[in-house]
Amino acid sequence: MNKNSELEIFKLYKRLAELLGDEEAIADLNILLEQHSELFVGKKQSYNLIKRLIEQK
């Protein structure tokens, strides 16, 4: 995770990329944290969760 950036780019696995029509997804970790503070302790936790979800096949 880049601590100087608020946006993170995630590389999607093949099937998800086919469904979404793109190989990458961009997430604003600050917005996720603000809108879902009940789910995340910090930006690193939200980053790790997204990373785990998109790597599942």
Side-chain angles (χ1 to χ4, degrees), residues 1 3 5 29-30 33 41-48:
M1 186 170 91
K3 293 182 180 187
S5 176
L29 301 180
N30 283 334
L33 187 57
V41 175
K43 286 188 279 187
K44 184 160 182 72
Q45 185 185 25
S46 61
Y47 172 86
N48 290 335

Side-chain angles (χ1 to χ4, degrees), residues 9-26:
I9 299 173
F10 294 92
K11 186 80 170 163
L12 303 177
Y13 67 89
K14 184 178 179 184
R15 181 65 181 136
L16 187 54
E18 289 172 358
L19 291 171
L20 295 176
D22 204 338
E23 293 183 0
E24 296 177 333
I26 299 172

